[in-house]
Protein backbone atom coordinates (compact mmCIF):
# COMPACT_ATOMS: atom_id res chain seq x y z
CA UNK A 1 0.00 0.00 0.00
CA UNK A 2 1.74 3.16 -1.21
CA UNK A 3 -1.15 5.51 -1.73
CA UNK A 4 -4.47 5.71 0.10
CA UNK A 5 -7.54 7.90 -0.19
CA UNK A 6 -9.88 9.30 2.44
CA UNK A 7 -13.39 10.66 2.10
CA UNK A 8 -16.27 11.77 4.29
CA UNK A 9 -19.79 10.96 3.23
CA UNK A 10 -23.40 11.33 4.38
CA UNK A 11 -24.42 13.66 7.20
CA UNK A 12 -21.38 15.43 8.62
CA UNK A 13 -20.45 14.87 12.25
CA UNK A 14 -18.21 16.78 14.65
CA UNK A 15 -14.89 14.94 14.82
CA UNK A 16 -14.75 14.03 11.14
CA UNK A 17 -11.89 16.52 10.73
CA UNK A 18 -10.00 14.91 13.58
CA UNK A 19 -10.47 11.52 11.87
CA UNK A 20 -9.19 12.84 8.51
CA UNK A 21 -6.20 14.35 10.31
CA UNK A 22 -5.43 10.99 11.92
CA UNK A 23 -5.64 9.19 8.56
CA UNK A 24 -3.34 11.71 6.88
CA UNK A 25 -0.76 11.89 9.66
CA UNK A 26 -0.73 8.14 10.33
CA UNK A 27 -0.36 7.48 6.62
CA UNK A 28 2.50 9.94 6.18
CA UNK A 29 4.14 8.59 9.35
CA UNK A 30 4.30 5.23 7.53
CA UNK A 31 5.57 6.79 4.26
CA UNK A 32 2.22 6.45 2.54
CA UNK A 33 0.84 9.17 0.31
CA UNK A 34 -2.66 10.26 1.31
CA UNK A 35 -5.23 11.72 -1.08
CA UNK A 36 -8.40 13.48 -0.03
CA UNK A 37 -11.61 13.00 -2.01
CA UNK A 38 -13.61 16.22 -2.08
CA UNK A 39 -17.39 15.93 -1.65
CA UNK A 40 -17.87 12.27 -0.73
CA UNK A 41 -18.81 9.64 -3.33
CA UNK A 42 -20.25 12.33 -5.63
CA UNK A 43 -16.82 13.99 -5.76
CA UNK A 44 -15.12 10.63 -6.16
CA UNK A 45 -17.08 9.85 -9.35
CA UNK A 46 -15.96 13.21 -10.76
CA UNK A 47 -12.31 12.63 -9.82
CA UNK A 48 -12.22 15.48 -7.29
CA UNK A 49 -9.15 14.12 -5.57
CA UNK A 50 -6.14 15.97 -4.19
CA UNK A 51 -2.96 15.12 -2.35
CA UNK A 52 -2.95 15.95 1.34
CA UNK A 53 0.19 16.92 3.24
CA UNK A 54 0.88 17.19 6.97
CA UNK A 55 0.01 20.89 6.78
CA UNK A 56 -3.29 20.22 4.97
CA UNK A 57 -4.71 18.90 8.23
CA UNK A 58 -3.16 21.46 10.55
CA UNK A 59 -5.53 23.53 12.69
CA UNK A 60 -8.58 21.34 12.04
CA UNK A 61 -8.73 18.97 15.03
CA UNK A 62 -11.07 21.33 16.89
CA UNK A 63 -13.33 22.22 13.96
CA UNK A 64 -16.81 20.83 13.35
CA UNK A 65 -17.99 19.80 9.88
CA UNK A 66 -15.59 18.24 7.40
CA UNK A 67 -13.02 20.15 5.39
CA UNK A 68 -13.29 17.47 2.67
CA UNK A 69 -17.01 18.30 2.33
CA UNK A 70 -19.73 15.68 2.34
CA UNK A 71 -22.67 14.66 0.20
CA UNK A 72 -25.33 12.01 -0.24
CA UNK A 73 -25.21 10.47 -3.73
CA UNK A 74 -28.00 8.53 -5.42
CA UNK A 75 -25.78 7.76 -8.44
CA UNK A 76 -23.19 6.03 -6.28
CA UNK A 77 -25.83 3.50 -5.22
CA UNK A 78 -25.67 2.10 -8.77
CA UNK A 79 -23.03 -0.28 -10.06
CA UNK A 80 -22.15 2.19 -12.84
CA UNK A 81 -21.54 4.93 -10.26
CA UNK A 82 -19.36 2.62 -8.20
CA UNK A 83 -17.33 1.61 -11.27
CA UNK A 84 -16.81 5.30 -12.07
CA UNK A 85 -15.45 5.76 -8.56
CA UNK A 86 -13.07 2.80 -8.86
CA UNK A 87 -11.79 4.11 -12.21
CA UNK A 88 -10.98 7.46 -10.62
CA UNK A 89 -9.19 5.84 -7.69
CA UNK A 90 -7.12 3.73 -10.10
CA UNK A 91 -6.34 6.81 -12.22
CA UNK A 92 -4.75 8.40 -9.14
CA UNK A 93 -2.91 5.17 -8.29
CA UNK A 94 -4.80 4.82 -5.01
CA UNK A 95 -4.75 1.30 -3.52
CA UNK A 96 -7.12 1.64 -0.57
CA UNK A 97 -9.79 4.00 0.73
CA UNK A 98 -10.83 5.10 4.20
CA UNK A 99 -14.52 6.00 4.28
CA UNK A 100 -15.68 8.10 7.23
CA UNK A 101 -19.45 8.21 7.56
CA UNK A 102 -22.66 6.50 8.58
CA UNK A 103 -24.60 3.49 7.34
CA UNK A 104 -25.11 4.84 3.79
CA UNK A 105 -21.37 5.49 3.51
CA UNK A 106 -20.65 1.98 4.75
CA UNK A 107 -22.93 0.56 2.07
CA UNK A 108 -20.84 2.40 -0.55
CA UNK A 109 -17.62 1.10 1.01
CA UNK A 110 -19.06 -2.41 1.08
CA UNK A 111 -19.97 -2.18 -2.62
CA UNK A 112 -16.46 -1.02 -3.57
CA UNK A 113 -14.90 -3.78 -1.49
CA UNK A 114 -17.13 -6.41 -3.11
CA UNK A 115 -15.95 -5.13 -6.49
CA UNK A 116 -12.33 -5.65 -5.48
CA UNK A 117 -11.36 -2.22 -4.14
CA UNK A 118 -10.32 -2.39 -0.45
CA UNK A 119 -12.07 0.09 1.82
CA UNK A 120 -12.08 0.54 5.58
CA UNK A 121 -15.11 2.12 7.23
CA UNK A 122 -14.76 4.59 10.11
CA UNK A 123 -18.05 5.27 11.94
CA UNK A 124 -18.83 8.99 11.75
CA UNK A 125 -22.41 10.04 12.45
CA UNK A 126 -24.19 11.83 15.26
CA UNK A 127 -26.82 9.07 15.28
CA UNK A 128 -24.62 6.46 17.04
CA UNK A 129 -26.33 3.78 14.95
CA UNK A 130 -23.44 1.89 13.37
CA UNK A 131 -23.10 -1.77 14.34
CA UNK A 132 -19.66 -2.86 15.54
CA UNK A 133 -18.89 0.14 17.74
CA UNK A 134 -20.31 1.38 21.01
CA UNK A 135 -19.84 4.99 19.96
CA UNK A 136 -19.68 6.77 16.64
CA UNK A 137 -17.67 9.94 16.00
CA UNK A 138 -19.89 12.97 16.59
CA UNK A 139 -22.42 11.39 18.92
CA UNK A 140 -20.88 12.75 22.10
CA UNK A 141 -20.69 16.29 20.71
CA UNK A 142 -24.28 16.18 19.45
CA UNK A 143 -25.39 14.87 22.81
CA UNK A 144 -23.71 17.73 24.63
CA UNK A 145 -25.31 20.22 22.24
CA UNK A 146 -28.74 18.75 23.03
CA UNK A 147 -28.09 18.74 26.77
CA UNK A 148 -26.98 22.35 26.64
CA UNK A 149 -30.26 23.20 24.88
CA UNK A 150 -32.36 21.16 27.32
CA UNK A 151 -30.73 22.87 30.31
CA UNK A 152 -31.60 26.26 28.81
CA UNK A 153 -35.12 25.15 27.99
CA UNK A 154 -35.51 23.92 31.56
CA UNK A 155 -34.82 27.46 32.86
CA UNK A 156 -37.63 28.99 30.85
CA UNK A 157 -39.92 25.96 31.31
CA UNK A 158 -39.56 26.33 35.05
CA UNK A 159 -40.09 30.13 35.05
CA UNK A 160 -43.33 29.79 33.10
CA UNK A 161 -44.45 26.42 34.49
CA UNK A 162 -44.67 25.01 31.00
CA UNK A 163 -44.32 21.67 29.28
CA UNK A 164 -41.70 21.55 26.55
CA UNK A 165 -41.45 19.06 23.71
CA UNK A 166 -37.88 18.91 22.38
CA UNK A 167 -37.49 17.19 19.01
CA UNK A 168 -34.03 15.76 18.37
CA UNK A 169 -32.46 13.95 15.42
CA UNK A 170 -32.67 10.20 14.97
CA UNK A 171 -34.87 8.71 12.27
CA UNK A 172 -34.29 5.07 13.11
CA UNK A 173 -32.10 5.22 16.20
CA UNK A 174 -33.10 6.65 19.55
CA UNK A 175 -29.61 7.07 21.01
CA UNK A 176 -29.56 10.87 20.95
CA UNK A 177 -33.04 11.08 22.47
CA UNK A 178 -32.31 8.46 25.11
CA UNK A 179 -28.90 9.71 26.27
CA UNK A 180 -29.91 13.38 26.12
CA UNK A 181 -33.22 12.66 27.83
CA UNK A 182 -31.50 10.76 30.62
CA UNK A 183 -28.73 13.33 31.05
CA UNK A 184 -31.20 16.22 30.81
CA UNK A 185 -33.66 14.74 33.33
CA UNK A 186 -36.55 14.54 30.85
CA UNK A 187 -39.92 13.30 32.12
CA UNK A 188 -40.60 11.33 28.95
CA UNK A 189 -38.36 10.04 26.14
CA UNK A 190 -39.78 8.83 22.83
CA UNK A 191 -37.53 6.57 20.75
CA UNK A 192 -38.13 4.75 17.45
CA UNK A 193 -37.28 1.44 19.14
CA UNK A 194 -40.44 1.57 21.30
CA UNK A 195 -44.07 2.52 20.75
CA UNK A 196 -45.71 5.21 22.84
CA UNK A 197 -49.09 5.44 24.46
CA UNK A 198 -50.36 9.01 24.61
CA UNK A 199 -52.90 8.39 27.36
CA UNK A 200 -50.28 6.74 29.51
CA UNK A 201 -47.83 9.61 28.99
CA UNK A 202 -50.51 12.21 29.74
CA UNK A 203 -51.54 10.38 32.92
CA UNK A 204 -47.94 10.21 34.14
CA UNK A 205 -47.42 13.91 33.45
CA UNK A 206 -50.69 14.77 35.21
CA UNK A 207 -49.62 12.75 38.26
CA UNK A 208 -46.36 14.67 38.33
CA UNK A 209 -48.24 17.96 38.21
CA UNK A 210 -50.52 16.80 41.04
CA UNK A 211 -47.41 16.03 43.09
CA UNK A 212 -46.26 19.61 42.57
CA UNK A 213 -44.10 19.37 39.45
CA UNK A 214 -44.26 22.75 37.77
CA UNK A 215 -42.79 21.92 34.38
CA UNK A 216 -42.01 18.92 32.20
CA UNK A 217 -39.59 18.13 29.40
CA UNK A 218 -40.38 15.54 26.77
CA UNK A 219 -37.64 14.48 24.35
CA UNK A 220 -38.89 13.12 21.04
CA UNK A 221 -36.70 11.46 18.39
CA UNK A 222 -37.68 12.80 14.96
CA UNK A 223 -38.31 9.27 13.65
CA UNK A 224 -41.16 8.69 16.12
CA UNK A 225 -43.35 11.71 15.59
CA UNK A 226 -42.76 15.40 14.93
CA UNK A 227 -42.53 17.56 18.01
CA UNK A 228 -45.47 19.68 16.80
CA UNK A 229 -47.66 16.65 16.15
CA UNK A 230 -46.85 15.25 19.58
CA UNK A 231 -47.70 18.58 21.24
CA UNK A 232 -51.04 18.56 19.38
CA UNK A 233 -51.80 15.07 20.66
CA UNK A 234 -50.82 16.09 24.19
CA UNK A 235 -53.15 19.09 24.00
CA UNK A 236 -56.05 16.72 23.34
CA UNK A 237 -55.35 14.91 26.63
CA UNK A 238 -54.21 17.71 28.94
CA UNK A 239 -54.53 21.44 29.49
CA UNK A 240 -50.77 21.96 29.89
CA UNK A 241 -49.25 25.12 28.51
CA UNK A 242 -46.97 23.46 25.95
CA UNK A 243 -44.19 24.74 23.68
CA UNK A 244 -42.10 22.93 21.05
CA UNK A 245 -38.41 23.26 20.20
CA UNK A 246 -37.02 21.50 17.14
CA UNK A 247 -33.25 21.41 17.50
CA UNK A 248 -32.54 20.34 13.91
CA UNK A 249 -29.12 20.75 12.32
CA UNK A 250 -27.67 22.67 15.23
CA UNK A 251 -27.02 19.14 16.54
CA UNK A 252 -24.64 18.42 13.65
CA UNK A 253 -22.29 21.35 14.17
CA UNK A 254 -19.86 22.68 16.72
CA UNK A 255 -16.39 21.97 17.95
CA UNK A 256 -15.99 18.26 18.76
CA UNK A 257 -15.73 17.25 22.41
CA UNK A 258 -12.47 15.80 23.72
CA UNK A 259 -14.10 12.36 23.63
CA UNK A 260 -14.95 12.68 19.94
CA UNK A 261 -11.48 14.00 19.06
CA UNK A 262 -9.76 11.10 20.80
CA UNK A 263 -12.19 8.54 19.36
CA UNK A 264 -11.71 9.98 15.86
CA UNK A 265 -7.92 9.97 16.21
CA UNK A 266 -7.85 6.36 17.34
CA UNK A 267 -10.30 5.07 14.74
CA UNK A 268 -8.76 7.03 11.85
CA UNK A 269 -5.27 5.78 12.68
CA UNK A 270 -6.49 2.19 13.09
CA UNK A 271 -8.13 2.30 9.67
CA UNK A 272 -4.75 3.16 8.11
CA UNK A 273 -3.06 0.35 10.03
CA UNK A 274 -5.58 -2.13 8.65
CA UNK A 275 -4.92 -1.00 5.08
CA UNK A 276 -1.15 -1.32 5.72
CA UNK A 277 -1.73 -4.84 7.07
CA UNK A 278 -3.52 -5.61 3.82
CA UNK A 279 -6.85 -5.94 5.61
CA UNK A 280 -9.27 -4.10 3.33
CA UNK A 281 -13.00 -4.61 3.65
CA UNK A 282 -13.04 -3.92 7.40
CA UNK A 283 -14.97 -1.54 9.62
CA UNK A 284 -13.30 -0.17 12.73
CA UNK A 285 -14.96 0.48 16.06
CA UNK A 286 -14.50 0.85 19.77
CA UNK A 287 -15.85 -1.66 22.25
CA UNK A 288 -15.12 -1.56 25.99
CA UNK A 289 -12.49 1.08 25.18
CA UNK A 290 -10.64 -1.34 22.88
CA UNK A 291 -10.21 -0.90 19.16
CA UNK A 292 -12.01 -3.61 17.20
CA UNK A 293 -12.59 -4.30 13.53
CA UNK A 294 -15.12 -6.36 11.65
CA UNK A 295 -15.66 -7.49 8.11
CA UNK A 296 -17.51 -4.53 6.62
CA UNK A 297 -20.00 -6.80 4.91
CA UNK A 298 -20.76 -8.62 8.16
CA UNK A 299 -20.82 -5.35 10.13
CA UNK A 300 -23.58 -4.03 7.90
CA UNK A 301 -25.53 -7.24 8.34
CA UNK A 302 -25.58 -6.73 12.11
CA UNK A 303 -28.12 -4.57 13.80
CA UNK A 304 -27.35 -1.57 15.93
CA UNK A 305 -29.00 -2.13 19.27
CA UNK A 306 -30.01 0.59 21.62
CA UNK A 307 -29.05 0.04 25.25
CA UNK A 308 -32.42 -1.09 26.60
CA UNK A 309 -31.11 -1.12 30.19
CA UNK A 310 -30.43 2.58 29.84
CA UNK A 311 -33.95 3.07 28.49
CA UNK A 312 -35.40 1.18 31.44
CA UNK A 313 -33.30 3.26 33.82
CA UNK A 314 -34.51 6.49 32.21
CA UNK A 315 -38.09 5.36 32.81
CA UNK A 316 -37.40 4.43 36.41
CA UNK A 317 -35.74 7.76 37.14
CA UNK A 318 -38.37 9.89 35.50
CA UNK A 319 -41.36 8.83 37.60
O1 LIG B 1 -27.60 10.79 9.82
C1 LIG B 1 -27.38 11.99 10.47
C2 LIG B 1 -28.62 12.86 10.42
O2 LIG B 1 -28.31 14.08 11.06
C3 LIG B 1 -29.89 12.26 11.02
O3 LIG B 1 -29.95 12.32 12.42
C4 LIG B 1 -30.96 13.08 10.35
O4 LIG B 1 -32.18 12.39 10.34
C5 LIG B 1 -30.40 13.26 8.96
O5 LIG B 1 -28.99 13.14 9.08
C6 LIG B 1 -30.73 14.57 8.31
O6 LIG B 1 -30.21 14.55 7.04
P1 LIG B 1 -30.04 15.83 6.10
O7 LIG B 1 -28.93 16.67 6.67
O8 LIG B 1 -29.69 15.27 4.77
O9 LIG B 1 -31.33 16.56 6.15
Amino acid sequence: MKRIGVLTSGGDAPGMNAAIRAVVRKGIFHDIEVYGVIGGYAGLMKGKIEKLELGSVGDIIHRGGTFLYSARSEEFKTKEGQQKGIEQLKKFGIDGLVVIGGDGSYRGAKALTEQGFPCVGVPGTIDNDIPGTEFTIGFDTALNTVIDAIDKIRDTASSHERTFVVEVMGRNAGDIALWAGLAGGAETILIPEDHYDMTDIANRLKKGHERGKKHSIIVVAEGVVSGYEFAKQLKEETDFDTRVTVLGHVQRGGSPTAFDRVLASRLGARAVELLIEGKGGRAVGMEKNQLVDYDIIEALGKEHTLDMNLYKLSQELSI
Side-chain angles (χ1 to χ4, degrees), residues 145-181:
T145 300
V146 176
I147 290 163
D148 182 51
I150 291 178
D151 289 349
K152 286 175 176 152
I153 287 167
R154 181 180 286 282
D155 289 344
T156 178
S158 135
S159 305
H160 287 266
E161 302 187 14
R162 279 174 172 158
T163 295
F164 265 82
V165 179
V166 183
E167 183 191 306
V168 300
M169 280 186 165
R171 280 182 293 219
N172 305 309
D175 291 56
I176 296 179
L178 172 58
W179 284 68

Side-chain angles (χ1 to χ4, degrees), residues 11 72 125-127 169-171 222 249 252:
R72 301 188 197 274
T125 166
I126 64 162
D127 292 341
M169 280 186 165
R171 280 182 293 219
E222 63 178 338
H249 285 78
R252 286 245 294 265

Side-chain angles (χ1 to χ4, degrees), residues 51-90:
K51 192 163 178 227
L52 300 175
E53 307 291 353
L54 288 176
S56 319
V57 290
D59 201 25
I60 64 165
I61 195 165
H62 61 301
R63 292 187 200 281
T66 159
F67 91 106
L68 288 178
Y69 298 90
S70 194
R72 301 188 197 274
S73 168
E74 281 306 311
E75 189 186 351
F76 199 75
K77 290 181 185 159
T78 66
K79 208 156 192 147
E80 294 72 42
Q82 292 150 13
Q83 277 305 319
K84 267 193 207 171
I86 292 178
E87 274 163 33
Q88 293 293 350
L89 289 163
K90 286 192 175 150

Side-chain angles (χ1 to χ4, degrees), residues 8-17 19 65-66 70 72 99-106 121-131 133-143 169-173 175-176 222 251-253 259-260 263-264 267 284 304:
T8 48
S9 153
D12 60 349
M16 278 184 163
N17 279 327
T66 159
S70 194
R72 301 188 197 274
V99 173
I100 306 165
D103 50 358
S105 316
Y106 269 34
V122 173
T125 166
I126 64 162
D127 292 341
N128 205 38
D129 61 347
I130 302 293
T133 189
E134 278 164 5
F135 294 108
T136 58
I137 298 164
F139 172 63
D140 186 61
T141 307
L143 192 55
M169 280 186 165
R171 280 182 293 219
N172 305 309
D175 291 56
I176 296 179
E222 63 178 338
Q251 295 162 92
R252 286 245 294 265
F259 180 87
D260 274 332
L263 179 68
L267 294 178
V284 294
H304 161 73

